[in-house]
Every structure is written in C-alpha cells, then in structure tokens.
Amino acid sequence: MAFTPATTEQRFVLDHVVRIGEIAATERYAAASDDVVDAVLEGVGQLASGEWAPLNRTGDTVGAKWTPDGVVMPDGFAQAYKDYVDGGWGGIGVEEEWGGQGLPFAIQTAVLDTLGSANMGFALCPTLTVGAIEALQHHGSPEQQALYLPHLATGEWTGTMNLTEPQAGSDVGALRATATPLGDGKWSIKGTKIYISFGDHDMAPNIVHLVLARTPGAPAGTKGISLFLVPKFRLNEDGTPGDFNDVRVVSIEHKMGLHASPTCVLSFGDNDDCIGELIGAELGGIRAMFTMMNNARLNVGLQGVQVAEGATQGAVAYALDRVQSARAGSPSKDSVKIVEHPDVRRMLMRMKAQTQAARALVYYAAGQVDRANLGDHAARNRLELVTPLAKAHGTDLGNEVASLGIQVHGGMGYVEETGAAQYFRDARITPIYEGTNGIQAADLVGRKLGLDNGGAFAALIADIRGEAKDERLLALVDACEAIGRKLATADADDKLAASYPFLTMLSVATCGWLMERQGGVARSDDFGRMKTAAVRFYLDQIVPEAMGLTAAANASAAVLYSIEADLFAA
C-alpha cells in the first residue's frame, strides 16, 4: 500500500491547535517561519514515503536478527537511516549549539509523526534518541554534552533508556544493576537490563546507553538510583568510538509486533570491563529518568497517532477498491465498492475522527512543551496534566483504529498479506510500555489533579468551557469537573478504581475542545469538508459515548474487593 504523508492535516493542526505562529513569534523559535515549517513537512514526507514506507513490510516479515556479533537489521534499513541522518532530520528540535536546528518540539513531533506513520517500528530508533538527548541536555556535564550531544543530535549515534530488569518492571525501585566507583570519575557497571528497544543494531557506529543503577551504600527503593552514561564503544582521545565497552546483547525478544525494532536483553560488565559515567548527581537517577520518561510518554502517545494514520490510510484505500454486494435499499442490484455501505462508512468516519482527535491531543501537548521552554509556568502545569492523557488516550485510540482497520478489510484483514494486521500487532505494545496506561491514569488522579492545589485542572476545565459551544461537550466538561473534585479527596482505592474511566472522559473532553476549534475554521476544499464531517461525528457520537463512563468514574472500589483474590480463578 502506498503511503501518503498527512502534511495538510499536520499543518492545519500546527496552525489551529498548537498555534505555531505564536511560538514562532518568539526570539527562541524565530526560525520556525511558515516557509521553514512547510519545507520540513514536505521534506520529511518525501523521505518517509520514498524510503521508510517501502521498508515497513520487510521490517515486519524479516525483522531484526540476533547474531553472536550483534543485531543485524533487514536490508535497506541502514541506508534509509543514513539518509535520515544526512538529511538533518535528527536535529530538528535540538539546540543549535549542539548541531541541531533549534526548531520547536511541536515541529519535531510532526517529523516523527510522518516517519512513524510510514514505518512505526523503524521510527522507534530516533524516538529513543530524542529522550537521551533530552536527559543529557538537562542533566549531563558540559564535557558529556560536548562529547555526545553533537553525535546524538544528528542521529549519527543513537541512544537508549535502560530501566527495566527481570525483577523490576513498573517497580523501578527494585532494580539491582550496580555501579562501583573506580576512583577516576569512572564507574564499573554490572547488571542485566531487559526490553531495551534498539539496544543494539548495525545502523550507527556507536550506541549511547543511559543506565539506571545502584551505587555502593545507596538506600533501598527509588531514592537509591543513579543514572549512568554507558556507550557501546568507549571514546578515543579524539572523541571517536574506540574499544568495546563490555555491553553484550544476550538475546532479542520474539514479539507480537514491532519486528523492525530489536527489543534486547543487554548484559553489562560480563567481563568486568563495562565503564560508565555518572549523569547528574549521585542518587539523582529518578529525577533524570523522569526527564527521559516524560519525553518518551508524549512520543509513545504519538505512536498511537502514527499507527492510526497508517491503518486509516490502508482501510480507506481498501474500501475504495473492494467491490462487494449491492447497497441495501438501492434499486440497483449491482455490487458496489464497500465504501458505499453505511457500516463501512461508519467505521471509516470513526477512524478518521479518532485519528484526528489523537493527533490534536498529542500535538497540543507538544506545543505546551515549547511554551514551557519559553518560561510559561501555566504551560508547564498544563503539560504535566495532559501528558498522561496524551500517552494513554493516544495509544488507546491507536489500538481502536487499528482494530477497525482489520474490520474494514473483512476476512482479508485477518490475512497477513494485506498488512492490516501489522498495525494492530504493532499498536498493542503502546498502552504497555513507558508506563502502562493504568499507571498514566493513576498519575492523573494521584498527582496531576493536585497540581497547583488543583489549579492546573481547574484552568483546563475553564479553558475548555470558555471556548466550547457544543452542549454535549459542555455537559461532558461539567461531569469531568464534578468527578475530578470528588476524586481529589477520595481514598486511594476509590481514586484508583475510577482513574481509567475518568482519564478517558477528560481526554475526550479535551479532544472534543480541540476538534471543535478546528471545525470552526472555514475551508470549502476537500480537506475542509472532511475535517468538518470528522468534527461533527466526534461531537455527535464520541463525546456522548464518554458520558456513558460517568457511572464507572463515580463507582467505588467496593465491588473490586468484595471477593478474595483467589476467586478470580473460579
């Protein structure tokens, strides 16, 4: 299936949701002029459609392969990645002093959106590097920044996050990897990390691992964690990759999807020769980790947009081509393209509306990153509040849209050759990694509702209510406000039991606000007509659905604990 970059939609959302013109009017982001933004969207679209999309099928069917010498990517990936590096796409959002272009994070988001819509598994590689750059920019020493950031900024070297261990999944405080001081500012790193995306590959001369580990005498739990920079190859005096740093790929996982992304088990220091450098202060690992994690959560929410875009394009193309049965009620008995059948149109309209809603939500969050970087305190609070929404709801919608894509294809959707199933398989990990969506919901009710003594939540509600016109949307906002106030003082079990339906309600209210804003922009071309229809569908059908979650969001945890745990096996 041919891939078409969603350039017009992206530009529209940047203009009317992110309001990129306001951001570009500042000195820091003055380079983000209209012609530059258009050139970036067009250029990355050409790379994505010309080189990355054609590798999507190969990435799924061939996949990354483990060998004793390291992970080998399928044919074509190394060249396509080199062209990404040579084109300067890795440095879009990186500060100019490190060789980047200094453009807004929202523009970088659009770049990753296009690349991931073309080939989601492949795009995970630069996505992870973005997180490593963010951590080093905020917490790295000047020497570390000078040595590593210029190479990471271009994408010449790639980066990873190493948190999870066999016994320490969501409970990061249970990790056991160790870092022992060597007396010269260096540390000996030892331990095993699992689920490390692009932990090894053959597309770059060096890989920069950011590793959480415990130092001698560190307290138990998360307070005892420090962050270390551990390159695959130690650097020579001239800064080039030199000796192997005793980081071994034990295996790669055999996964349901994302076959183009090697998910590695990494062993550090098997030969007691793995050397790392402390990033930031000792015992400051959790603070540095959340710098990476918050960035990653937005980019995982973006993966929901990516997979929804690809699945929607595939479903629309199939529906416009597949001929099956006469349209019900038509005097003609001739078979028609399935797009003429009402239920198929319902699914396609839902796919379009949910994809646009997810993109609006994630791009809006990305715009708050830029406004926060400009010193806007309210934007920083807004970013904190909407990050769990963007991650959880964005990925939920990616899964829903991918599932609908299979349904539109009918039986052929269940057949791998059509490619519809790949989107569903690739999407399924996104509600799980970088903090499960349940953790996002817990974060929302446990931490984010209380930001600024509840002021951040109240400000979001006020902004939506001040702009929204649709009565159903306003009713949903009222319900979210009432439930939010109730949860703020609820006990822990009741708060967490209600957290997920509440997160969905608040996400739909936010998406409805942003969708309605877009629908208010008059355009009579094909894009404008599709946008108007998608917005109307969202407000008419999806917003009222969210109101149906009110009972669940108001329910206590009593029924969940009315039985003994063993009875779940009954």
Side-chain angles (χ1 to χ4, degrees):
M1 184 199 80
F3 168 73
T4 303
T7 306
T8 304
E9 164 76 4
Q10 291 172 326
R11 183 66 214 235
F12 191 83
V13 174
L14 287 170
D15 286 341
H16 301 293
V17 172
V18 176
R19 293 177 171 167
I20 194 67
E22 296 175 358
I23 295 171
T26 64
E27 181 179 355
R28 175 169 179 169
Y29 294 122
S33 60
D34 285 346
D35 57 340
V36 167
V37 173
D38 288 339
V40 167
L41 295 180
E42 180 181 352
V44 77
Q46 292 172 354
L47 175 68
S49 59
E51 296 189 58
W52 284 47
L55 295 172
N56 190 43
R57 182 73 177 154
T58 302
D60 186 50
T61 57
V62 176
K65 302 294 185 184
W66 180 90
T67 76
D69 297 321
V71 174
V72 177
M73 296 297 291
D75 289 345
F77 275 70
Q79 184 60 50
Y81 187 76
K82 181 178 185 300
D83 292 338
Y84 162 86
V85 173
D86 291 346
W89 300 110
I92 290 291
V94 183
E95 295 176 11
E96 292 181 80
E97 65 178 303
W98 306 122
Q101 298 180 42
L103 291 172
F105 181 78
I107 304 302
Q108 178 180 275
T109 296
V111 167
L112 288 175
D113 181 9
T114 298
L115 293 171
S117 297
N119 194 325
M120 179 179 154
F122 193 5
L124 195 53
C125 183
T127 297
L128 288 160
T129 302
V130 167
I133 291 169
E134 190 81 2
L136 283 174
Q137 285 185 149
H138 284 85
H139 304 287
S141 68
E143 293 77 15
Q144 290 168 342
Q145 292 172 342
L147 281 172
Y148 290 95
L149 281 178
H151 299 286
L152 290 168
T154 62
E156 178 192 359
W157 298 352
T158 65
T160 73
M161 294 192 298
N162 289 249
L163 284 65
T164 308
E165 298 181 7
Q167 78 293 338
S170 299
D171 183 9
V172 178
L175 67 82
R176 299 172 184 163
T178 62
T180 305
L182 295 175
D184 57 356
K186 305 292 185 181
W187 299 73
S188 174
I189 309 298
K190 199 170 185 65
T192 299
K193 298 290 184 177
I194 64 173
Y195 299 150
I196 310 305
S197 299
F198 276 94
D200 195 64
H201 57 84
D202 59 353
M203 302 187 300
N206 209 355
I207 302 172
V208 181
H209 303 293
L210 301 190
V211 182
L212 289 179
R214 294 190 178 282
T215 54
T222 56
K223 293 181 179 180
I225 295 172
S226 301
L227 182 65
F228 295 87
L229 188 158
V230 184
K232 178 180 178 179
F233 295 101
R234 295 197 283 268
L235 303 189
N236 295 317
E237 290 293 329
D238 61 0
T240 59
D243 293 337
F244 179 64
N245 197 25
D246 197 14
V247 181
R248 187 167 63 92
V249 189
V250 177
S251 63
I252 60 175
E253 305 294 348
H254 302 282
K255 308 189 299 288
M256 176 180 179
L258 282 188
H259 298 152
S261 171
T263 302
C264 300
V265 177
L266 295 182
S267 183
F268 296 85
D270 282 356
N271 299 306
D272 297 321
D273 193 30
C274 182
I275 308 301
E277 301 176 20
L278 184 66
I279 298 176
E282 188 175 352
L283 308 183
I286 282 296
R287 179 168 173 262
M289 181 198 76
F290 273 107
T291 299
M292 295 186 287
M293 187 67 78
N294 287 334
N295 180 292
R297 285 174 173 173
L298 291 183
N299 283 326
V300 172
L302 182 64
Q303 288 186 312
V305 180
Q306 295 165 3
V307 78
E309 179 65 41
T312 299
Q313 288 195 22
V316 168
Y318 186 80
L320 291 172
D321 181 69
R322 172 65 167 161
V323 175
Q324 180 76 41
S325 306
R327 183 175 172 185
S330 171
S332 172
K333 301 305 178 185
D334 292 337
S335 295
V336 296
K337 294 177 180 178
I338 64 171
V339 72
E340 299 299 336
H341 296 297
D343 189 57
V344 174
R345 286 204 172 205
R346 174 192 65 82
M347 290 188 285
L348 294 179
M349 186 67 76
R350 190 176 184 93
M351 294 174 77
K352 294 285 287 191
Q354 294 284 48
T355 301
Q356 291 182 16
R359 180 174 282 117
L361 178 60
V362 175
Y363 278 42
Y364 177 77
Q368 299 308 303
V369 172
D370 294 316
R371 295 173 191 275
N373 286 340
L374 291 167
D376 186 333
H377 179 72
R380 187 167 299 282
N381 279 344
R382 180 64 54 85
L383 172 63
E384 289 287 320
L385 179 61
V386 300
T387 292
L389 309 187
K391 195 280 180 184
H393 197 60
T395 57
D396 281 347
L397 294 187
N399 276 267
E400 179 191 342
V401 172
S403 180
L404 283 170
I406 293 175
Q407 194 72 17
V408 170
H409 281 78
M412 292 303 297
Y414 203 67
V415 174
E416 287 289 354
E417 282 73 12
T418 64
Q422 181 188 344
Y423 293 112
F424 189 69
R425 290 187 285 99
D426 286 354
R428 194 57 192 85
I429 185 60
T430 59
I432 298 172
Y433 60 14
E434 303 305 343
T436 68
N437 286 1
I439 289 175
Q440 305 307 310
D443 181 44
L444 173 64
V445 301
R447 297 184 181 91
K448 305 306 171 58
L449 283 182
L451 274 176
D452 196 23
N453 293 319
F457 175 63
L460 175 62
I461 294 295
D463 282 353
I464 299 174
R465 187 177 282 133
E467 193 175 338
K469 298 179 178 62
D470 185 89
E471 291 184 3
R472 287 157 301 195
L473 178 57
L474 287 168
L476 178 60
V477 172
D478 289 344
C480 288
E481 182 179 36
I483 295 167
R485 287 177 175 172
K486 176 184 174 182
L487 293 179
T489 58
D491 68 33
D493 282 348
D494 286 349
K495 184 179 293 189
L496 293 174
S499 62
Y500 208 102
F502 174 69
L503 179 145
T504 302
M505 291 177 71
L506 186 59
S507 297
V508 172
T510 306
C511 288
W513 166 47
L514 300 175
M515 289 289 280
E516 190 182 48
R517 180 190 290 179
Q518 295 175 73
V521 181
R523 283 184 63 155
S524 59
D525 58 1
D526 290 349
F527 171 83
R529 292 178 62 208
M530 183 68 248
K531 174 66 72 174
T532 299
V535 170
R536 190 73 267 150
F537 182 91
Y538 195 90
L539 295 173
D540 288 350
Q541 299 195 32
I542 295 174
V543 167
E545 283 180 8
M547 283 294 290
L549 294 170
T550 302
N554 275 312
S556 76
V559 69
L560 305 181
Y561 291 92
S562 63
I563 59 170
E564 297 77 22
D566 291 348
L567 287 186
F568 282 107

